[in-house]
Structures are given as C-alpha cells and as structure tokens.
Amino acid sequence: MEAGKSASPPGAEGGEEEDDFGYRLFPDRKKEPQSFLVRSLFTFHNRCQLMLKMTLETSPYAQLLIAAMKQSGCTVFNDRHFSCENCDGCVSGGFDSATSQIVLCQNNIRHQSHMNRVVAHELIHAFDHCRAHVDWFKNVKHLACSEIRAANLSGDCTLMNEIARFKFGLKGHHQTCVRDRAIRSILAVRKVSRETAEKAVDEVFDTCFNDLEPFGRIPHSKTDAKRAYKDFLNRDRYTANL
C-alpha cells in the first residue's frame, strides 16, 4: 500500500484490538456487486474505468508487471482482477489477497498519473502474491517486504513526486522515501505500533529494497520503466529460444 494513497488489505499481526486487516478502508468489499446499469450511472465509476483502461494500454510499469505475472502463471484479466469501488477517504487502492483482486478507489483517484502509480503499486503486491508464499495475515515482515518493493519500484518515490510533496533531499533520499512510505502503509492498514512497523521494515529493508524483480532496475522515470519493459521482453525471447 502507498500510505495516504493506496492500501493493501493483506496481513500483519494485530495489536490489542482485533485487527480487521485493513478491510475497514474498503467498505464496498462487503456489499453485493452492483449491476452494470447501476454502476454506469455514476461518474466516478466511469472515470475510474476509463483511467484504468488508459493505464493498462500506455503505462510501461503496468505492462511489464502484467507480462511478468503471466509468465509466472498468474494471467491478469481486466474485468476479473480490477475493481473500481468507493473507499475510505485516506486510501486510493489496495490488493485483496483473498480474491486476488486489485481495488481502485474511484472516489479518491482524480487524475491519470495517480491511477498509473496506484495500479503499478498494487500490481507489485499482486506479483509478490503470485511468485511467493506471502503470509499476508500473520507475518508483518512479509507485508513490510512487499510494501518496500512497491514503494521502490512503482514510481511512488520519483524525484517529481517527492517535489510535489514538498520533500527534498540529497544522497539517500530515495531510500528514505521508500522506508517512510512502507512504514506509513503498514500503519494505515494494521493495528500495530509505529515501533513494530519500523522494526519490520528495517529488518528486511536491504534484502527487499535490492529485490528488483521483475524490473531488473529501479525505474526512476517512465523512460526507465520503458527500458525495463523492453529488456524484460528481450529476456523472455532469449529464454524461449534456449
């Protein structure tokens, strides 16, 4: 999850109060699905669907991740694995591991670049869920690792995004951004102390920050992501010819 931007329902250990694993942030998860006719009457839903379509057609982040998931045996179907819904005011998206579905918060995603980041962020969680035995609900370190990877590889911490947040730094600023956003993401969806969240992130940070799959590099810009996607396709072709 991108704290303040997107959230991931999957798990970590709770505190004294019973943990709902972040589902309180996604009230539409508990409702019966609306008919297409009813949903089509709402502008938020239409806008969300159009922006999602644009992201899937044009974002190299999303294209690379979807290709990598297919290669790993987890084909993504747009109408099955993405759902535009109303969410709590503090989040913009999440990955529901119980249904292998990405939730896009139609009431909070207001522009295309935001949609691009949210889809990329949540697809990284989906990719991790596909390729590894992630214990979302009991192991806070697993959640921390995926949040580190999502913040690192989705474009959350690009220079332009940080400038837009009025955050400036020199050497090591990207790592600081990734760490802070991973901690905030855990705190947004889990009833754990800040100390617990920080400890989990710090214990796995080096390993998970340096896990660059499937990009092979940190995509600091859309241009970087395009190069990573091209390299991924070429790597796939090379492997297929062996």
Side-chain angles (χ1 to χ4, degrees), residues 24 182-194 197:
R24 68 191 179 282
I183 292 169
R184 290 174 58 197
S185 295
I186 295 171
L187 292 176
V189 296
R190 293 294 175 269
K191 294 185 175 71
V192 297
S193 67
R194 184 172 185 86

Side-chain angles (χ1 to χ4, degrees), residues 28 39 58 66 75 81 103 153-154 194 204 216 229 240-241:
D28 280 5
R39 286 186 283 114
T58 64
I66 289 173
T75 300
H81 293 107
V103 183
L153 301 173
S154 68
R194 184 172 185 86
V204 300
Y229 182 38
N241 290 329

Side-chain angles (χ1 to χ4, degrees), residues 2-228:
E2 180 190 353
K5 295 293 183 184
S6 58
S8 307
E13 296 172 351
E16 294 181 359
E17 185 179 355
E18 184 178 356
D19 201 333
D20 67 356
F21 302 107
Y23 282 98
R24 68 191 179 282
L25 303 175
F26 305 89
D28 280 5
R29 295 273 88 187
K30 299 179 181 179
K31 297 179 181 178
E32 289 295 321
Q34 295 175 321
S35 69
F36 174 79
L37 178 60
V38 173
R39 286 186 283 114
S40 67
L41 296 176
F42 293 91
T43 303
F44 280 161
H45 189 80
N46 288 341
R47 183 179 65 184
C48 177
Q49 291 285 350
L50 289 172
M51 286 194 294
L52 171 61
K53 184 175 185 293
M54 179 65 71
T55 295
L56 298 178
E57 290 178 352
T58 64
S59 169
Y61 293 89
Q63 291 169 335
L64 192 160
L65 285 160
I66 289 173
M69 289 186 67
K70 182 177 181 180
Q71 187 181 81
S72 299
C74 300
T75 300
V76 176
F77 298 98
N78 299 354
D79 56 348
R80 161 65 180 86
H81 293 107
F82 294 95
S83 179
C84 290
E85 302 176 9
N86 290 320
C87 308
D88 181 273
C90 73
V91 297
S92 295
F95 174 65
D96 185 348
S97 63
T99 60
S100 295
Q101 194 169 50
I102 289 172
V103 183
L104 300 171
C105 298
Q106 60 194 23
N107 55 319
N108 294 331
I109 300 176
R110 307 188 190 283
H111 51 82
Q112 189 63 50
S113 61
H114 189 185
M115 175 65 80
N116 293 347
R117 292 199 310 273
V118 173
V119 169
H121 187 112
E122 302 308 335
L123 276 172
I124 291 169
H125 292 318
F127 176 76
D128 288 346
H129 185 69
C130 172
R131 70 169 181 154
H133 297 291
V134 182
D135 189 350
W136 298 108
F137 294 98
K138 294 182 180 179
N139 194 324
V140 68
K141 290 183 183 179
H142 286 194
L143 176 62
C145 186
S146 193
E147 294 296 355
I148 290 166
R149 281 177 32 77
N152 189 28
L153 301 173
S154 68
D156 288 348
C157 289
T158 62
L159 177 61
M160 293 307 298
N161 284 335
E162 283 293 270
I163 290 175
R165 299 176 188 123
F166 299 102
K167 292 185 177 181
F168 308 92
L170 299 175
K171 186 177 180 180
H173 181 71
H174 179 77
Q175 289 89 332
T176 299
C177 172
V178 169
R179 179 181 181 275
D180 290 348
R181 296 188 74 76
I183 292 169
R184 290 174 58 197
S185 295
I186 295 171
L187 292 176
V189 296
R190 293 294 175 269
K191 294 185 175 71
V192 297
S193 67
R194 184 172 185 86
E195 181 182 5
T196 297
E198 289 178 346
K199 181 180 179 182
V201 169
D202 289 341
E203 286 182 353
V204 300
F205 189 86
D206 288 343
T207 297
C208 299
F209 182 84
N210 290 311
D211 180 0
L212 305 180
E213 286 299 315
F215 290 88
R217 69 182 78 191
I218 298 175
H220 290 290
S221 65
K222 188 175 181 179
T223 299
D224 284 346
K226 286 181 178 178
R227 289 171 180 159

